């Protein structure tokens, strides 16, 4: 009877029926799923991430790894590269932060900073943030890795420059006459 139970268990658990997990890293999701199903394995997308150096929709990682010997029907968990970058929320920096603090926070969040726009206002104070020439508000969502332009106060220098420009444009010009 014990021998019969073990024989039944071997059959029930598919003992000695195994497949080797194929390599699917680098394949598009549809290709990977088809290949795994052809090997009698069950593909399961368990995670997604964004990698700028890889095309969207490809398999970045898998568990168990390729070459592992598993039973038929086993789930293979896949990590897929997303097609679009994740979004990040602009923190409360506008009219609430110094240039140094804003640059540190935004770079730590994965943003790229372009050359600042200097505007009239308190020196090194953040008055605005732009993405693709559109002014943002605190709490707006922007793609990870986006290039942002900070609108920074120039202090007395900008005020003096504007005053000089105004006085030059309003001064009378000499027109020769006769």
């Amino acid at each position: 009877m014990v021998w019969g139970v073990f024989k039944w268990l071997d059959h029930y658990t598919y003992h000695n029926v195994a497949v080797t997990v194929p390599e699917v890293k680098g394949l598009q999701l549809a290709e990977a799923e088809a290949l795994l199903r052809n090997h009698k394995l069950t593909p399961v997308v368990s995670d997604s991430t964004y990698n700028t150096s890889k095309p969207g929709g490809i398999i970045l990682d898998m568990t168990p790894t390729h070459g592992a010997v598993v039973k038929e029907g086993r789930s293979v968990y896949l990590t897929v590269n997303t097609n679009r970058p994740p979004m990040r929320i602009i923190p409360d920096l506008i009219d609430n932060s110094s240039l140094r603090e804003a640059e540190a926070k935004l770079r730590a969040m994965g943003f790229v900073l372009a050359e600042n726009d200097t505007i009239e206002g308190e020196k090194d104070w953040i008055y605005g943030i732009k993405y693709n020439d559109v002014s943002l508000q605190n709490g707006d969502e922007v793609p990870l890795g986006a290039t942002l332009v900070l609108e920074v106060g120039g202090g007395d220098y900008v005020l003096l420059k504007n005053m000089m420009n105004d006085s030059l444009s309003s001064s009378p010009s000499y027109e020769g006459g006769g």
Side-chain angles (χ1 to χ4, degrees), residues 48-52 54 60 80-86 144:
S48 65
T49 189
Y50 182 68
N51 183 331
T52 58
K54 308 269 184 185
L60 297 173
V80 180
N81 196 32
T82 61
N83 289 316
R84 13 179 312 231
L144 175 68

Side-chain angles (χ1 to χ4, degrees), residues 9-166:
L9 274 175
D10 283 348
H11 175 72
Y12 181 75
T13 61
Y14 297 103
H15 189 71
N16 293 329
V17 178
V19 294
T20 302
V21 177
E23 176 66 275
V24 295
K25 282 185 191 178
L27 297 179
Q28 288 291 321
L29 178 59
E31 294 172 300
E33 288 175 331
L35 184 58
L36 291 170
R37 284 191 181 103
N38 285 342
H39 281 81
K40 299 182 180 173
L41 297 168
T42 306
V44 176
V45 176
S46 63
D47 198 5
S48 65
T49 189
Y50 182 68
N51 183 331
T52 58
S53 65
K54 308 269 184 185
I58 68 161
I59 306 302
L60 297 173
D61 200 15
M62 58 189 281
T63 303
T65 60
H66 91 282
V69 178
V70 298
K71 291 185 180 185
E72 287 182 358
R74 165 83 190 264
S75 293
V76 177
Y77 299 96
L78 306 172
T79 301
V80 180
N81 196 32
T82 61
N83 289 316
R84 13 179 312 231
M87 302 298 278
R88 294 285 186 259
I89 294 175
I90 296 295
D92 186 15
L93 299 173
I94 300 169
D95 209 22
N96 192 29
S97 175
S98 69
L99 174 61
R100 192 171 85 175
E101 179 185 3
E103 286 177 334
K105 280 185 179 179
L106 293 170
R107 282 191 177 114
M109 293 176 69
F111 293 115
V112 176
L113 299 178
E115 186 175 333
N116 298 332
D117 280 346
T118 305
I119 62 171
E120 193 172 310
E122 187 177 328
K123 184 163 180 58
D124 292 341
W125 190 249
I126 301 300
Y127 288 97
I129 301 174
K130 288 184 177 180
Y131 171 61
N132 288 339
D133 291 326
V134 174
S135 292
L136 301 174
Q137 301 296 317
N138 294 327
D140 285 350
E141 288 189 341
V142 181
L144 175 68
T147 300
L148 304 178
V149 175
L150 301 178
E151 294 179 314
V152 182
D156 294 335
Y157 168 75
V158 172
L159 185 58
L160 182 62
K161 182 179 164 190
N162 289 341
M163 286 172 50
M164 287 181 66
N165 286 339
D166 288 345

